[in-house]
Amino acid sequence: MPKSKGVNTKKAAGLERKAANKAEKDAATARERERIEAEDWKKGSNSKKAERDAAQAQKSDEQARKRAEKAALLAEEEANMGAGASASKARKAASNTKSKKKKQKDGLSLLEDALVGDADKKLK
């Protein structure tokens, strides 16, 4: 019987390298397959709606933050005014920005104003 010398180290090292390379290639193909599958799933999804919803949520958060900031400034202003000034004046001054804009009249109110003006002229 021939004597057994053991494991061929060069052959074992080559097999290990082969296995490592195969594992790397398998991982790369799995990543590619996963990417393609994700793209396929994305085709059916409504990504534009999700983006619009996110933008709307961000906008409403910003509006809420501005309202809170305005309320804090108003409270600070009221505290600085002291007991002599009323809170309604401070609120009126804060909301005065909307009242400064001219209110547009619709057709019916314009007609009514014209008729009232004509009637006043006839009475005089």
Side-chain angles (χ1 to χ4, degrees):
M1 282 198 171
K3 232 180 188 181
S4 174
K5 292 186 178 182
V7 180
N8 186 351
T9 57
K10 288 184 181 181
K11 185 177 180 182
L15 290 175
E16 286 177 14
R17 277 195 309 265
K18 246 186 196 182
N21 287 338
K22 187 175 188 311
E24 285 180 26
K25 287 180 182 178
D26 288 345
T29 57
R31 282 192 303 267
E32 182 67 21
R33 220 175 335 177
E34 187 176 316
R35 184 187 63 79
I36 291 171
E37 186 177 343
E39 286 179 6
D40 287 344
W41 278 104
K42 201 175 210 179
K43 285 179 186 175
S45 68
N46 193 354
S47 60
K48 287 184 180 179
K49 183 181 183 325
E51 290 172 5
R52 283 193 308 266
D53 290 344
Q56 180 65 28
Q58 183 180 6
K59 186 176 178 181
S60 64
D61 290 344
E62 181 70 20
Q63 288 174 345
R65 184 190 62 79
K66 284 182 179 180
R67 279 194 302 269
E69 186 177 312
K70 186 176 179 180
L73 288 173
L74 183 62
E76 182 182 335
E77 185 178 327
E78 286 179 7
N80 289 342
M81 286 183 143
S86 67
S88 64
K89 286 183 182 178
R91 263 183 282 181
K92 194 179 266 186
S95 66
N96 205 13
T97 58
K98 287 186 180 179
S99 65
K100 285 183 180 179
K101 295 180 182 177
K102 285 188 173 182
K103 295 181 181 177
Q104 295 181 350
K105 295 184 176 182
D106 58 345
L108 185 63
S109 64
L110 289 173
L111 179 63
E112 185 178 318
D113 291 342
L115 290 174
V116 169
D118 289 342
D120 288 342
K121 287 180 184 177
K122 287 182 181 179
L123 288 177
K124 290 182 181 181

